[in-house]
Amino acid sequence: MKYQWLQAARGIAVIGVLLFHVSSYWEDMDIARRITGPFHWGFLGVDLFFVLSGFVISASIERKSGGNHALHFICLRFARIYLGYWPALALFCFVAYLQGVSLPTGNALTSIFLLSGKIPDHWLAISWSLFFELYFYGLAALVIAVVPMKQRKRWITLFMALIASWNAGWLITAADEVMAGLQPRRTLLSGLILEFLLGCLLYEMRSLFSYSFGKVANLASLAMVTFAIGTFSHWFDKIELLRVGTFGLSAAAIIAMALCMEHSPYKPAKWLTFTGDCSYSIYLTHIVVLDIAATLGRLLLPADSWMFLLNSLLVPAYAWLFGALWYRCLEHPLYMSSKRLIGNLLSPRHTRIPAKAQETPVP
């Protein structure tokens, strides 16, 4: 089953991230500066991606158990991430070379293999979030391999309690260390993992999300209230536990709204679900496209001309179009080829997957 409203939510998420980065290109434009303020909160799109990943992965592993299934799962998910990421990283490095930008060689391994969840450790800054995707996929594979299916809800709950207690304990007893980013085991027991686990819980509770106007309205109220609390202080997006308790809950409420809408007579706009399909490509390439469009505009167009203004206003559209083409021509074909190859080599049922196998939804 392909959840159309969840794909629409994925589209909204990547649009939010795109606008978050567009704001820095528009801050010097009087006509656009007035609307860029709310764009700062577009990073909520990352929280949406994390909750969505938890939901989709829970659906993917529901009836899988044992080492063979775990190996098949982890190879497929890692191929999904790396085969989408490496071409985008190569594009970024090529553009940096043309611009005469020297990338720090000390960050090569962490940048190429996504070995860190910290922004300064990466050449392509937005790739920090992919580390947590990979980390969660590894945890999911471990669950497939060793945790019986009937016990998974219990283990999800216990792991959530562990991470929440660890982060809350440090925030209560050593707030200065937490605010300075010095919390022990910050990566291994990151509060951001709670957002993936929220997605897992939403999957387990999916039968509760039937459609009614009142239910959608209440979830919308929860999303707005938790989001509003998060905007009160910059610490709510700096400290992971506070981010989960505000923006993470807001993202979970939005995903719950989407699940309710799946049972409604309404359908999302096709362009929005298509944006969801292309979201990974847009996410990975938009920084490069924004930079190229802005640079060419400064070099080729007079700063006080209407063409310069129009070019600046159109940079989000450029990023969307490039991401859509990147998805159609590169990311999607690469993923489908790897999916067939992995399925033929490692399929737990030892069945060969036909060349035109139906695609299942992936984050």
Side-chain angles (χ1 to χ4, degrees), residues 251-271:
I254 293 171
I255 300 307
M257 289 171 57
L259 290 172
C260 290
M261 293 302 296
E262 296 288 352
H263 302 283
S264 76
Y266 308 105
K267 302 297 180 184
K270 290 183 178 180
W271 72 268

Side-chain angles (χ1 to χ4, degrees), residues 90-101 288 291-292:
L91 174 67
F92 173 82
C93 293
F94 178 69
V95 172
Y97 171 77
L98 292 179
Q99 294 178 337
V101 176
V288 175
D291 185 61
I292 292 174

Side-chain angles (χ1 to χ4, degrees), residues 156-350:
I156 290 172
T157 303
L158 289 174
F159 194 41
M160 287 189 74
L162 170 65
I163 294 180
S165 299
W166 177 265
N167 284 271
W170 278 100
L171 184 59
I172 293 169
T173 60
D176 290 341
E177 290 185 41
V178 174
M179 288 187 287
L182 300 176
Q183 177 180 326
R185 305 294 184 271
R186 185 181 178 189
T187 298
L188 183 64
L189 296 175
S190 170
L192 293 176
I193 297 298
L194 290 171
E195 296 191 343
F196 292 95
L197 296 175
L198 282 173
C200 296
L201 285 183
L202 287 177
Y203 182 77
E204 298 296 339
M205 299 166 57
R206 64 193 183 282
S207 61
L208 302 176
F209 299 115
S210 57
Y211 173 74
S212 72
F213 176 80
K215 190 175 293 185
V216 172
N218 287 332
L219 288 169
S221 298
L222 175 62
M224 288 187 289
V225 169
T226 50
F227 177 82
I229 294 172
T231 65
F232 182 73
S233 168
H234 71 281
W235 289 115
F236 285 101
D237 64 85
K238 302 297 183 185
I239 298 176
E240 293 167 357
L241 184 64
L242 298 183
R243 177 167 179 166
V244 173
T246 51
F247 299 111
L249 287 179
S250 182
I254 293 171
I255 300 307
M257 289 171 57
L259 290 172
C260 290
M261 293 302 296
E262 296 288 352
H263 302 283
S264 76
Y266 308 105
K267 302 297 180 184
K270 290 183 178 180
W271 72 268
L272 194 55
T273 55
F274 178 69
T275 301
D277 293 339
C278 305
S279 59
Y280 190 38
S281 289
I282 297 173
Y283 182 78
L284 289 172
T285 62
H286 75 276
I287 292 291
V288 175
V289 178
L290 294 178
D291 185 61
I292 292 174
T295 300
L296 291 177
R298 288 191 297 267
L299 292 175
L300 302 177
L301 302 173
D304 57 350
S305 68
W306 66 269
M307 292 184 64
F308 178 85
L309 175 62
L310 181 62
N311 178 72
S312 299
L313 293 175
L314 286 176
V315 290
Y318 300 154
W320 186 93
L321 287 170
F322 185 88
L325 289 172
W326 190 270
Y327 168 76
R328 283 286 180 88
C329 300
L330 189 61
E331 183 213 332
H332 184 65
L334 274 177
Y335 172 68
M336 293 307 295
S337 296
S338 68
K339 184 178 180 180
R340 289 192 294 268
L341 177 62
I342 292 170
N344 290 331
L345 293 176
L346 300 175
S347 178
R349 296 180 181 179
H350 303 289

